[in-house]
Amino acid sequence: MAADLEEKTDRYEGLLAEALDAASVAPPEGTPMHDAALDCEEMASSYLADGRHFRDDDDLVNALASFSYGHAWLDAGARIGLFDVPTEGHLFTV
């Protein structure tokens, strides 16, 4: 079971990092939606950093949860138009 958790944690970290690189803020600067996108992006980045901290402390359960929550912030933002994201592939559910 530990090997499965390790593999999944590593995979989700990679997915979140890749998704952060692939997403770009869609709304124009100076609008409330742009600010909302920046907030979502910051939350995703923070969860990535938190997950890496948990993984470094051998807390794989919380690391996996952090990576998953971070990706959820990006995915939700993409669905409501806060981010331009690839529509093909495995990173987003748009």
Side-chain angles (χ1 to χ4, degrees):
M1 169 112 169
D4 293 335
L5 182 58
E6 286 180 38
E7 183 277 327
K8 192 169 193 174
T9 301
D10 290 344
R11 185 165 31 99
Y12 276 55
E13 177 189 9
L15 287 172
L16 176 52
E18 189 177 350
L20 272 165
D21 286 341
S24 60
V25 174
E29 285 188 44
T31 65
M33 294 298 279
H34 183 269
D35 293 343
L38 293 178
D39 288 343
C40 287
E41 187 176 53
E42 182 179 354
M43 290 298 294
S45 293
S46 294
Y47 274 115
L48 179 61
D50 289 349
R52 287 174 172 166
H53 172 78
F54 285 128
R55 194 188 58 220
D56 289 344
D57 286 346
D58 293 322
D59 184 352
L60 296 181
V61 171
N62 281 315
L64 178 57
S66 292
F67 298 143
S68 297
Y69 280 122
H71 199 276
W73 276 93
L74 288 179
D75 213 23
R79 277 202 169 268
I80 62 171
L82 296 179
F83 300 109
D84 288 325
V85 298
T87 55
E88 300 295 321
H90 61 285
L91 293 177
F92 298 95
T93 60
V94 292

